[in-house]
Amino acid sequence: MTHSAHIAERWLYPTDAGLYCEPGDFFIDPHLPTPRAVITHGHADHARAGHDAVLTTSETAAIMRLRYGPDAVGRFETVAYGETHRINGLDLKLVPAGHILGSAQVVLEYQGSRIAISGDYKRSPDPTCEAFEPINCDVFVTEATFALPVFRHEVAQKEIQRLLASLRLEPDRPHLVGVYGLGKCQRVIKLLREEGYDDPIWLHGALISLCDLYKDLGHDLGDLRVVDTEKPGGTAQGIIMCPPSALGDRWSRRFPDSVSAFASGWMRIRARARQRGVELPLVISDHADWPELIGTIRETGAAEIWVTHGRDDALVHQLSQMGVKAKALALVGFEDEAE
Amino acid sequence: MQRFANLVDSLAFTQSRNRKLSLLTDYFLTTSDPDRGWALAALTDGLPLRVPLRRILPEILADIVDPVLYHLSRDYVGDTAETVALLWPDRPEYQRDGARVTLDSVVTAFATAPNSSHAEILKGLLDALEPSSRFALLKLLGGAPRVGVSARLAKLALAQAFEQPVSEIEESWHAVDAPYLALFDWLNGDGPRPDPGGRPVFRPMMLAHPIEDEDRTKLDPDDLLAEWKWDGIRVQVAAQMGEVRLFSRTGDDISAGFPDIVTAFTGRNCILDGELLVVREDEVAPFNDLQQRLNRKTVSARMVRDYPAHIRLYDSLQIDEKDLRDLPLIERRKRLEHWHRAHPPLSTDLSPLVPFNTFDELTHLWQNTRAEGIEGLMLKRKDSPYLSGRPRGHWWKWKRAPLTLDCVLMYAQRGSGKRSSYYSDYTFGVWRDAPDDGAELVPVGKAYSGFTDAELLELDRFIRSNTTDRFGPVRAVSPKLVLEVAFDALQKSTRHKSGIAMRFPRIARIRWDKPVSEADTLSRAQSLLKAPSLDKRG
């Protein structure tokens, strides 16, 4: 073990509540309420309510206020990307992670060693958020959601073209697209717009408020309409976005002859798509795939890699084959399905 | 290859039969020869290729992927072909050649090269293809794409695409080998209908209707022949010019799994209709035994010995080159008996006629079928010609009355396709002990039919408001509802916790009125276990 990495273990380590930074006296993405939390991004398994103080990007703060109400967190302290923040001799910076709007890596520097905590991240372009910025560091703390060599995501644009091709082929069948409400939804909408789809896009009620927030934060999503809750189907047609749980649930019955699509990295695996009865699996992910994980780890130049959640066994094995020190932190509370 | 891969993908993710049909139709109309013929073969009988993937894959994977990562991936994906297709490195510099890979080039490459170079060929192909084509390729070579397409469905698609009667397609099908060039020429109007000539081909089968009360009042017993309905599977055995083929009801060629039957008929010249059974010392074994022999591409000598196949013959379509299908049944029967008496093949006998004079007599016989381990009765008009499909007014099946058990609904699973938003698959159980002893329920079966759409809505509502736990698409339901389940038979099973398995279970009635404490017990269920077959009539 290198000297810096060895030292790092003494001031950043896993606890029951989550990853804890001792000199800064804060937790990163804790899953229990804490006095002070640094939050990488707004997904529910990373950003939880009940902390006394939260330090994060202004976008993530806006997302948390929207999701949990104005009083769910004692006080927000927001920092811009790249701005250095000094706490008890420790330097903290938030750097774009490319995962969703407002997502950040947490870069910590203390007594000469630098640790970057990735949160969730991806390297492929996303029109709704800033691109991941690789950080040269001693220890890189990475996610591993898709850490198996079978996971190589498609180019998102190509998947969107498949969706549009299917719609052209069967224009009379509404296309229900299951998407995670924060991030994936807005990314898919924006990609559709970039591909020239200008028709109204219909939304399940649960997706409205986050889309509105994206619009408020300056992301034009075009003509969005809400699926009428009263009438079966109503006037909705073409592309209809809904949470994955609504696919094949009672809500979807109002579209009796629909094509069910699901935009997720898990759709790479046929059994996953079949399990959900998905007719049009779209491999669009907001997480790094296997080559991105390996490539990013190399790019950081880190002598040691800590793996937070996902398929850590495969990644740790691969890194040890590459001669990189790696260990699984086995943090609890992160959801495999957060896609 | 890409077109075939797209077809395989679409078929795999499509539930609706009609949509599958239109995908196939579209493919056959827009793909050129010989690729569409190879695709047809791949989806039905399999390609005439033997590439030992089991041996080759580990060999070529060794250079490609770390074994630990491979096993973690294989465990996660659950399918070897898919795992390899996904983790094979993308090589853009080779993939430019991918468009040139056709099904025909794949078949030719493997068929003409020595076995020793198969690994190299496969490697080259995997390099040239993108993931979904790699998957299709591996499934193709593995012999079973498993995309829910039967030979029957493929024939229907051809019939639809080229507007020809499906019966003519079925007859011509086995007259030519893959890639069926002459078949497609004929379908395109560019050639004559392929003549099966001397080769054994499938003739569309004649099927029976379930008998209704009104049929019995209209029919005259003098016009009918009665036979026992055997508990096996319907087959057609076709033997000609030293070749023997065994076909299932849908025209799938299942000869490879039944070398014992093939041997018995080798050298004969006939097309016969009968029931495939496992028979030991003149006794019909339970259906379970036959099941051991089904769906196998190859079969070991041990299997053949332990589960000896047998055909109980009941009709003849062709004997010694003479097509008998236009003759009345009674005449065909006479010729079958004569032929069989003259030189009976091993592993065959005739399904005996059941003598009767009145319907009352027949009813009496029918009532005893269950006790005798027989599935029911078949009634056939003596003057019926052998027609394809399920023509009305000729043949009837009179299945023995179902058994029923009052079971308690335990789990419900979402259906698929149109039913994906409904909990439509039900697992139900009976009490292990008397219900008042604080007994537990033990699952005895699963059913997804027998109820109306209105009842499905009610069941769905009941399940959603009585859920106690969720496991993915499955919900555990609090034990409150009794389902009267009808089924054809109970069999011993080591795969089920209850030790029994139901055949053809369906929901007969929803007993909203019945307290769960009055549902049946496991010991009552066990009392219905199929008695060992008593029949030695054969």
Side-chain angles (χ1 to χ4, degrees), chain A residues 142-144 147 290 294 307 311-319:
Chain A
T142 183
E143 64 139 322
W290 179 255
I294 306 296
V307 184
R311 257 132 290 280
D312 47 26
D313 44 3
L315 188 57
V316 168
H317 174 81
Q318 168 70 14
L319 294 173

Side-chain angles (χ1 to χ4, degrees), chain B residues 157-165 169 187:
Chain B
L158 285 180
Q160 261 185 23
F162 298 97
E163 295 171 350
Q164 291 286 349
I169 290 172
L187 289 171

Side-chain angles (χ1 to χ4, degrees), chain B residues 6 136 266 284 316 327 423:
Chain B
N6 290 346
T266 300
V284 177
S316 55
L327 298 177
Y423 287 90

